[in-house]
Amino acid sequence: MTVDDTGSGADAGRRVDPPAVAAALDREDSHPVPLDREDSRPAPLDREGSRPVSLDREDDQPAPAALDRGEPQHLGAGEDPLTLRLETLILGAERRYTPFQAARSAGVSMELASRFWRAMGFADIGQAKALTEADVLALRRLAGLVEAGLLSEAMAVQVARSTGQTTARLAEWQIDSFLEGLTEPPEPGMTRTEVTYPLVELLLPELEEFLVYVWRRQLAAATGRVVQAGDDEEMVDRRLAVAFADLVGFTRLTRRMEEEELGELVEAFETTAADLVAARGGRLIKTLGDEVLYAADDAGTAAEIALRLIETMANDETMPELRVGMAFGTVTTRMGDVFGTTVNLASRLTSIAPRDAVLVDSAFAEELIRTSEAPASEAEAAEAAATAEKEGEEPPAYRFALQPMWQRPVRGLGVVEPWLLTRRDGEG
């Protein structure tokens, strides 16, 4: 969106550039954009078709549609006016409800409203007037899904919790890393706060549209995986390849490196891992600083990702050594995470893996052998090649090699037989 002197206007080819930020800084009207702008979303209609109003306002009159041009309304003790202006800009509405008023206007009990809000990760605020029309609409939508029988109450709370946890991390990253780097004052004497408001005003619609696009893409991919599942049980308890990749000696690094340098190393590791996992058809489950957890539908994909990670990190002198542990089996998926014995086994294998090496469990090895991705032994590979040559056929093209290691007890899982996974000669 290009912001003009009147603060209105929209088009599909919105772009954010430094001159636009500078122009926004010179605008006479630096207060939040009114809610009655042509490109703003109107407040939802109630059952009679009128705009909802606060049920407990002293004068029983609708709240003003936008902030006036003076001091921001509902400014609490110790609150910064700019903070409230930014909040109003981002939320698209002013504060007008207490939690009790919002719950009553949405037609839900205060108890259920509190459960939804806590699940989304928002702190209790007592009965301060801090909620907006969007908060009422969100409560109404969640409660409506329950009333329509589309979601159980417990599932609605899970939806709120998973969405809140995911977007909270995203928002923290955008503010800490993204906006922090973009709000350097463009002119001497200007403060960061003077730059923040117009920058957020320009970026907000772009980031919102991009977020929705990525979410729809991810939802389409996840839906496709569920539809392809063999049966209803497989939708929740599925057979997957699960892998942990862990930086070796990270604890020692934290004592030797400066915080900024350490942060750059972690970011580089997470970015490299995320790119490789996505490019090769896996799914990044989560990152834990010095460790990443990913999953794949088949053992061959997970194995390729693991070896690519080892090879890529080994070619980067700034990176520590890496070790990977993988297991194949039934996994329970919930809220984007994975659980179960298979996941625990992959974690244990990572802790005992040699540096710059990949260990897999026996089920993973058997799956690679079953799908002809690896021979059961080098003797078997040589025999298969000799047979193919005698019959004038192409020998089997194995991608990976497996070497059995000594059996050993693993805490909580009994005795396991790890296999060392490597590439076949000439493969890569």
Side-chain angles (χ1 to χ4, degrees):
M1 178 184 297
T2 301
V3 180
D4 60 21
D5 290 338
T6 63
S8 63
D11 61 68
R14 291 178 283 206
R15 294 291 183 271
V16 177
D17 55 14
V21 176
L25 285 169
D26 294 332
R27 289 171 48 189
E28 293 180 2
D29 173 16
S30 61
H31 284 274
V33 180
L35 296 183
D36 56 0
R37 281 177 49 177
E38 292 180 0
D39 61 340
S40 296
R41 297 185 181 91
L45 298 176
D46 64 12
R47 292 185 178 87
E48 288 73 36
S50 60
R51 303 295 175 196
V53 299
S54 171
L55 299 181
D56 293 321
R57 293 179 58 86
E58 293 180 10
D59 54 3
D60 263 346
Q61 295 298 318
L67 293 177
D68 61 24
R69 301 306 180 193
E71 189 71 12
Q73 299 181 14
H74 308 313
L75 189 62
E79 285 190 282
D80 178 30
L82 176 61
T83 300
L84 186 59
R85 288 174 52 212
L86 283 167
E87 176 191 292
T88 305
L89 171 66
I90 294 170
L91 298 180
E94 68 166 330
R95 299 177 179 184
R96 62 184 293 190
Y97 295 108
T98 67
F100 177 76
Q101 291 169 338
R104 192 157 70 172
S105 184
V108 302
S109 68
M110 187 64 209
E111 179 184 0
L112 182 58
S114 296
R115 288 187 66 197
F116 284 153
W117 277 98
R118 288 168 185 165
M120 284 185 274
F122 301 129
D124 292 338
I125 58 172
Q127 287 304 318
K129 185 170 287 189
L131 305 184
T132 72
E133 205 65 66
D135 299 315
V136 173
L137 183 58
L139 290 175
R140 192 177 296 161
R141 280 176 170 158
L142 276 176
L145 292 173
V146 175
E147 291 173 3
L150 295 173
L151 296 177
S152 66
E153 187 173 307
M155 181 59 70
V157 171
Q158 286 186 8
V159 168
R161 179 172 292 112
S162 61
T163 306
Q165 290 177 355
T166 302
T167 53
R169 184 179 181 189
L170 175 63
E172 289 288 346
W173 179 87
Q174 288 175 332
I175 294 299
D176 291 345
S177 302
F178 186 52
L179 290 181
E180 181 180 353
L182 290 178
T183 53
E184 289 297 331
E187 298 178 9
M190 295 187 67
T191 64
R192 187 183 297 275
T193 55
E194 290 175 316
V195 182
T196 300
Y197 186 93
L199 183 65
V200 171
E201 189 175 31
L202 290 167
L203 283 174
L204 186 62
E206 306 294 337
L207 294 177
E208 181 179 20
E209 289 185 5
F210 186 70
L211 173 63
V212 173
Y213 156 73
V214 175
W215 171 72
R216 285 181 176 272
R217 268 290 178 186
Q218 294 287 5
L219 189 63
T223 302
R225 291 193 294 268
V226 169
V227 170
Q228 293 173 11
D231 51 47
D232 290 343
E233 289 186 3
E234 192 177 344
M235 292 182 184
V236 178
D237 296 322
R238 305 167 57 192
R239 287 179 62 78
L240 296 175
V242 180
F244 285 90
D246 178 61
L247 293 175
V248 178
F250 185 76
T251 302
R252 291 193 299 274
L253 285 176
T254 60
R255 293 193 290 265
R256 297 203 313 262
M257 299 176 69
E258 297 291 336
E259 289 185 5
E260 184 175 352
E261 187 181 7
L262 189 64
E264 290 175 355
L265 184 146
V266 169
E267 184 175 357
F269 169 58
E270 291 183 350
T271 299
T272 300
D275 288 348
L276 279 173
V277 170
R280 297 291 167 175
R283 296 189 298 285
L284 187 67
I285 304 300
K286 58 187 174 184
T287 60
L288 305 169
D290 63 331
E291 187 175 61
V292 297
L293 168 62
Y294 70 88
D297 293 330
D298 61 273
T301 296
E304 179 65 28
I305 292 170
L307 292 173
R308 290 278 179 181
L309 281 170
I310 295 287
E311 293 157 1
T312 301
M313 296 298 175
N315 289 328
D316 188 342
E317 295 180 354
T318 66
M319 281 291 173
E321 295 162 304
L322 191 70
R323 54 190 177 194
V324 181
M326 298 192 290
F328 186 85
T330 302
V331 173
T332 298
T333 61
R334 184 173 179 271
M335 292 176 61
D337 209 341
V338 290
F339 306 91
T341 302
T342 302
V343 179
N344 295 338
L345 179 54
S347 178
R348 298 289 189 271
L349 289 172
T350 306
S351 65
I352 64 174
R355 295 165 181 260
D356 282 340
V358 182
L359 284 187
V360 304
D361 74 325
S362 56
F364 196 107
E366 289 169 5
E367 185 67 12
L368 288 179
I369 295 169
R370 185 187 70 81
T371 56
S372 299
E373 297 273 13
S377 65
E378 288 304 311
E380 181 180 294
E383 183 179 344
T387 301
E389 184 179 358
K390 183 183 299 184
E391 296 179 358
E393 299 176 353
E394 287 291 326
Y398 299 117
R399 297 167 62 193
F400 310 110
L402 293 164
Q403 178 185 343
M405 309 292 284
W406 291 104
Q407 291 185 353
R408 59 181 298 172
V410 174
R411 181 168 53 87
L413 296 171
V415 177
V416 299
E417 182 183 8
W419 293 68
L420 182 68
L421 175 75
T422 57
R423 288 196 187 280
R424 291 273 295 167
D425 292 339
E427 297 295 331

